[in-house]
């Protein structure tokens, strides 16, 4: 089911690679015998883990007292974005379990904005390199994967 789902996801989602999809879903043992609906829940768990670990990373970076003011302000923005995304994902998961896929779609779409907005903030000043590029990319791809699976489930109804 994972390979079939990932082929569909990668074909319909330009920001998601087949390899990332497969390696992400297969990193969770529950995916071996999971239905499409269950894969959606697994992708949400993976997304939650990445949101919380990125939030932790931002907090760790903010402890550096020698941070440039511009970078500190961007990290503060990222902390707020990721802090807001976590309860949004909890709501999304609840809606998904209730098969309210269009509501879940809206929530995941808003979560996808967090890593993009976070990353874009660092590019506002020339020469500044985001310390969160890898984290942001992973969160974005997991959100794209989750959104794709939510939409597949919506079309099955």
């Amino acid at each position: 089911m994972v390979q079939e789902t990932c082929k569909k996801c990668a074909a319909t989602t330009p920001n998601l690679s087949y390899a990332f999809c497969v390696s992400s879903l297969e990193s969770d043992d529950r995916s071996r015998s999971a239905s499409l609906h269950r894969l959606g829940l697994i992708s949400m768990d993976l997304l939650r883990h990445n949101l919380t670990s990125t939030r932790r990373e931002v907090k760790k970076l903010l402890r550096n007292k020698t941070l440039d003011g511009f970078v500190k302000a961007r990290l503060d923005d990222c902390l707020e974005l990721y802090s807001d995304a976590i309860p949004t994902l909890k709501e999304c998961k609840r809606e998904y379990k209730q098969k309210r896929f269009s509501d879940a779609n809206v929530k995941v779409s808003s979560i996808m904005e967090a890593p993009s907005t976070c990353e874009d903030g660092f590019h506002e000043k020339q020469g500044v390199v985001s310390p969160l590029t890898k984290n942001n990319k992973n969160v974005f791809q997991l959100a794209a994967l989750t959104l794709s699976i939510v939409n597949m489930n919506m079309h099955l109804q």
Side-chain angles (χ1 to χ4, degrees), residues 43-109:
S43 71
M44 287 179 201
D45 289 346
L46 295 168
L47 178 55
R48 187 192 73 239
H49 173 75
N50 271 262
L51 286 169
T52 55
S53 65
T54 300
R55 187 172 171 269
R56 229 181 349 264
E57 178 68 17
V58 173
K59 284 180 162 184
K60 188 176 108 184
L61 290 167
L62 282 167
R63 281 190 226 119
N64 180 350
K65 300 298 178 209
T66 62
L67 270 180
D68 169 76
F70 176 82
V71 173
K72 183 188 181 315
R74 299 298 76 74
L75 287 170
D76 284 335
D77 291 344
C78 294
L79 181 61
E80 185 177 340
L81 289 162
Y82 279 101
S83 294
D84 291 347
I86 294 165
T88 302
L89 181 60
K90 285 180 182 166
E91 292 170 27
C92 172
K93 193 171 183 180
R94 189 170 44 250
E95 290 165 349
Y96 182 82
K97 285 179 176 177
Q98 295 169 351
K99 297 189 179 354
R100 292 173 35 214
F101 299 120
S102 62
D103 293 334
N105 171 307
V106 171
K107 296 280 190 310
V108 179
S109 296

Side-chain angles (χ1 to χ4, degrees), residues 10 15 19 38 68 70 94 97-98 116 118 122 126 154:
N15 302 309
R38 187 82 178 127
D68 169 76
F70 176 82
R94 189 170 44 250
K97 285 179 176 177
Q98 295 169 351
S116 300
C118 173
F122 290 98
Q126 195 166 1
M154 188 168 23

Side-chain angles (χ1 to χ4, degrees), residues 17 29 33 35 38 94 109 119 121 130 142 156-157:
S17 76
D29 290 338
S33 60
S35 64
R38 187 82 178 127
R94 189 170 44 250
S109 296
E119 190 66 24
S130 167
L142 284 169
L156 289 176
Q157 275 192 317

